[in-house]
Amino acid sequence: MRIFDAAEQIFAAHGFDAATIRDIAALAGVQGALVHHHGGSKEALFAAVVARRAAALSDARTAALTALQARGDMTLRGVICCFTHPFLDRVLGGDPGWLAYGRLIAFVSADDRWRAIASQHFDPTAKVFLAAFAQVLPGASQARLAAALVFMVSGMLSLCASRWRIDDLSGQGDDTEDLVQMFTDFSEAGFQRAVQG
C-alpha cells in the first residue's frame, strides 16, 4: 500500500516521464527492488495506480445514477451531478491521495499513450452516462453528447489539478462547495449549448 501511495504522489507531481522508481522508493521508505517486485515495470506500476481508485469512482458514479433513476428524477443537472460530484467530492475533499489521483487522471486524459488505460477504466462508465444524457436530451446526436461530456471532464480535471490558480487569481480561497456549485452550473449550461448546435 505504501508503495502505491508513494507512486500516486510521485506520478501526480512529476508526470510519468519525470517520475523515477528511486523517488517512489524514497517516498515509500523502501528499496527500489521492492517497488519493482510489487509494481513491476514503471508502466505497469502507473497502470496499477490508475486502476486502484477507478473501480471505487465508477461504483460511486453508477450508484448515484441508479438512485437518481429510481427516484424518477432524471434531469440534465441530476445526471451531471451523479457523474461529477463523486469525483469532485473526493478530490477536493482534503484527502491528499484523492487529490493526487485527480492530477494523475488529468495526465492520463491528456496523453494519447494512456488511451488503453482510459478505455479500460473510464469508458464503460462514461458510456452508461452518455446513455443517461441521451435520455434527458432527446434528439441530441451522440457526437455532440460525447463532445459535451469530454468538455465537462476536461473542465473537471482542470479544476482539480489547478485549483490553486483560482486562489491565486482571486487573492482568497473559495470554499469547495461553492466551486462545485459553480462548476455544476457551468457544466449544465455548457451541455445545453453544445447539444443545441
Side-chain angles (χ1 to χ4, degrees), residues 82-191:
C82 290
F83 187 86
T84 60
H85 287 201
F87 184 79
L88 293 171
D89 291 346
R90 284 165 175 78
V91 174
L92 299 177
D95 180 325
W98 273 102
L99 179 59
Y101 190 72
R103 290 181 177 144
L104 184 63
I105 298 311
F107 286 128
V108 170
S109 296
D111 192 332
D112 188 57
R113 74 181 138 166
W114 308 123
R115 176 183 273 186
I117 291 174
S119 294
Q120 178 182 356
H121 297 294
F122 303 113
D123 285 2
T125 302
K127 288 175 182 175
V128 168
F129 274 85
L130 279 173
F133 285 123
Q135 183 182 344
V136 297
L137 295 167
S141 73
Q142 275 297 110
R144 285 196 170 267
L145 289 171
L149 177 64
V150 169
F151 294 157
M152 182 180 72
V153 169
S154 298
M156 182 177 66
L157 294 174
S158 179
L159 173 61
C160 293
S162 59
R163 178 174 173 180
W164 59 271
R165 288 287 294 142
I166 296 170
D167 295 344
D168 284 358
L169 290 170
S170 68
Q172 61 190 34
D174 288 314
D175 76 28
T176 298
E177 191 174 316
D178 189 45
L179 285 176
V180 171
Q181 179 70 35
M182 288 171 57
F183 179 76
T184 304
D185 293 342
F186 183 80
S187 297
E188 185 178 20
F191 242 97

Side-chain angles (χ1 to χ4, degrees), residues 8-149:
E8 187 173 60
Q9 294 293 328
I10 295 296
F11 284 134
H14 305 295
F16 176 80
D17 294 319
T20 67
I21 296 298
R22 180 182 302 181
D23 290 340
I24 293 167
L27 185 59
V30 299
Q31 296 294 319
L34 201 56
V35 174
H36 284 294
H37 174 73
H38 288 289
S41 67
K42 188 168 129 177
E43 290 83 0
L45 180 60
F46 185 81
V49 169
V50 171
R52 188 169 73 136
R53 295 184 194 264
L57 181 59
S58 176
D59 290 347
R61 284 172 164 162
T62 54
L65 184 60
T66 300
L68 184 73
Q69 291 167 330
R71 290 193 305 271
D73 191 24
M74 292 289 287
T75 63
L76 175 58
R77 187 177 193 84
V79 177
I80 288 170
C81 289
C82 290
F83 187 86
T84 60
H85 287 201
F87 184 79
L88 293 171
D89 291 346
R90 284 165 175 78
V91 174
L92 299 177
D95 180 325
W98 273 102
L99 179 59
Y101 190 72
R103 290 181 177 144
L104 184 63
I105 298 311
F107 286 128
V108 170
S109 296
D111 192 332
D112 188 57
R113 74 181 138 166
W114 308 123
R115 176 183 273 186
I117 291 174
S119 294
Q120 178 182 356
H121 297 294
F122 303 113
D123 285 2
T125 302
K127 288 175 182 175
V128 168
F129 274 85
L130 279 173
F133 285 123
Q135 183 182 344
V136 297
L137 295 167
S141 73
Q142 275 297 110
R144 285 196 170 267
L145 289 171
L149 177 64

